[in-house]
Amino acid sequence: MSGKRKMFIYGGIVGLIGAVLMKLGNPGNMGICIACFWRDIAGALGLHRAEVVQYIRPEIIGIIFGSFIISYITGDFKVKGGSSPLIRFVLGFFLMIGALVFLGCPLRMILRLANGDLNALVGLVGYVAGIFIGVQFLKKGYTLGKSIDQPKIAGFIYPIIAVILLIFLVVRPAFILFSSEGPGSMAAPIAIALVLGAVVGIALQRSRICTAGGFRDLILIKDSYFLWGLIGIFVFALAGNLILNFDKFHLGFIEQPVAHTNHLWNFLGMVLVGLCSVLLGGCPIRQTILASEGDTDAGVTVLGLIAGAAFAHNFGLASSAKGVTANGKFAVIIGILFVLIIAYGVIVDTRKSNSHSKKEVKING
């Protein structure tokens, strides 16, 4: 089987599971959404008080378990980090702000489109535009530096967190919050969601599918290899929705579940997501997989996502079906400008460092 065909099948597994999870009770147009699911977990832990989005999503737990176990078995589990962790935290923070203004991560964007939500098409254009901007920085030498080996125990932090979250989900202690209405109250059965999440984690770990990477490589080096994974997600999710969720399939812009029709902010929110994803070296799902493989830099990024989710709901930045808030609009503009400044600053320092290294080589030579 050719590499592109394998990517298509791996992506298809993820897309089909997204449709199945929606059939089993997950919110409409939200079979799997990494940004939304981390946001729900943040709410369950009391980091924000938006009562309609508080739930410990077993899919996230399953994704961590699946990717950790398969990476450990295959030798891909490597504990490394130390590559500009604070910048990664900030980029993760703003990535989540953009996602919650759009109402979904790049994976949910594809799944929304596969369920007929054309607002996701606007988001897709914005996402590619953000990636295109990010690629221009890559061409100019943007890099967050090399990672180095870290204490092995650091690589087990996310699997341990997943175990703790699973205990909280099953035991339901009083200090953990669960939505009684809204998207947070809509969920597939725990055991099934956990298993399907693990399958998604395995598929994504083995394929290394990244929504940002697919478009980045096409723009930067004209390579469509990873893009076939994204096509697989869309095609299989579309087929799954037409078979399993036809009563919920609705082609158009209006009356879409957990979505709004403010096109400008759907576009700009995903511009911010695309830009941050390229500068981070991976979208939210890729960062979650990498964190489960022992990459502590990705782990810091995920913490940034969680902090961004808490901040967005505590300060009224997140959108709703009613539309985008004034604070959300302001935050997206600030986020884009701030991230551009960070990227420019990194390039300036990188060039200075390279120039200094060349001078030392000449002197020593």
Side-chain angles (χ1 to χ4, degrees):
M1 185 183 295
S2 68
K4 291 181 179 179
R5 188 174 300 177
K6 285 183 179 179
M7 291 298 297
F8 182 79
I9 296 299
Y10 275 126
I13 292 170
V14 176
L16 183 58
I17 288 177
V20 170
L21 286 169
M22 193 168 75
K23 176 67 175 179
L24 294 176
N26 278 9
N29 281 353
M30 199 187 295
I32 307 172
C33 176
I34 304 305
C36 302
F37 285 4
W38 277 119
R39 181 270 317 276
D40 291 354
I41 290 173
L45 297 176
L47 300 179
H48 69 72
R49 297 291 169 164
E51 296 181 352
V52 295
V53 284
Q54 296 172 326
Y55 181 58
I56 294 179
R57 291 284 176 183
E59 295 87 352
I60 290 289
I61 300 171
I63 288 171
I64 293 174
F65 283 165
S67 53
F68 165 69
I69 292 170
I70 194 65
S71 66
Y72 203 86
I73 292 173
T74 59
D76 289 334
F77 183 81
K78 297 176 181 178
V79 186
K80 57 183 180 179
S83 170
S84 306
L86 184 56
I87 290 179
R88 291 181 185 276
F89 180 90
V90 172
L91 292 176
F93 178 93
F94 280 115
L95 192 160
M96 179 62 84
I97 299 299
L100 292 182
V101 167
F102 168 71
L103 288 177
C105 69
L107 178 57
R108 188 191 176 219
M109 173 187 70
I110 298 173
L111 296 178
R112 281 175 59 176
L113 190 58
N115 201 45
D117 185 352
L118 296 182
N119 297 294
L121 189 60
V122 178
L124 175 60
V125 175
Y127 189 53
V128 175
I131 291 171
F132 178 82
I133 295 171
V135 166
Q136 307 315 304
F137 286 103
L138 297 183
K139 288 180 177 179
K140 294 181 182 297
Y142 172 91
T143 176
L144 291 179
K146 294 182 179 180
S147 297
I148 59 175
D149 291 341
Q150 301 288 312
K152 193 169 184 179
I153 186 62
F156 293 95
I157 289 178
Y158 269 86
I160 291 171
I161 290 175
V163 171
I164 294 172
L165 289 175
L166 182 58
I167 293 172
F168 286 162
L169 177 60
V170 174
V171 177
R172 296 198 170 212
F175 57 84
I176 297 298
L177 308 175
F178 290 92
S179 298
S180 58
E181 60 181 4
S185 66
M186 303 173 187
I190 292 174
I192 297 176
L194 186 65
V195 171
L196 292 180
V199 174
V200 169
I202 293 170
L204 291 172
Q205 196 283 325
R206 298 313 298 154
S207 64
R208 292 170 170 74
I209 288 174
C210 173
T211 59
F215 292 108
R216 177 202 61 205
D217 288 357
L218 185 65
I219 296 170
L220 186 61
I221 57 176
K222 305 299 186 292
D223 186 350
S224 63
Y225 178 74
F226 285 112
L227 190 64
W228 279 99
L230 310 188
I231 295 172
I233 293 173
F234 173 77
V235 170
F236 277 70
L238 176 62
N241 286 329
L242 292 176
I243 296 170
L244 300 174
N245 304 306
F246 187 72
D247 57 324
K248 299 177 181 178
F249 184 88
H250 173 53
L251 183 63
F253 289 98
I254 62 173
E255 298 180 355
Q256 297 290 351
V258 198
H260 61 79
T261 57
N262 195 319
H263 301 321
L264 175 61
W265 297 101
N266 277 329
F267 175 85
L268 289 177
M270 290 308 287
V271 166
L272 181 55
V273 172
L275 176 58
C276 289
S277 294
V278 169
L279 298 181
L280 282 165
C283 64
I285 186 66
R286 185 64 185 146
Q287 297 297 329
T288 302
I289 297 296
L290 287 171
S292 307
E293 294 177 351
D295 188 326
T296 62
D297 290 331
V300 171
T301 300
V302 173
L303 292 178
L305 294 173
I306 295 171
F311 191 93
H313 280 283
N314 285 331
F315 293 95
L317 310 182
S319 300
S320 68
K322 296 179 181 179
V324 184
T325 69
N327 287 350
K329 295 175 182 179
F330 184 72
V332 166
I333 297 301
I334 292 297
I336 292 173
L337 293 175
F338 196 77
V339 170
L340 289 174
I341 291 171
I342 289 175
Y344 177 77
V346 169
I347 289 176
V348 170
D349 284 349
T350 300
R351 287 178 175 175
K352 287 182 179 179
S353 178
N354 291 340
S355 176
H356 183 70
S357 296
K358 290 179 180 178
K359 288 180 180 179
E360 286 189 342
V361 170
K362 288 182 179 180
I363 293 173
N364 294 332

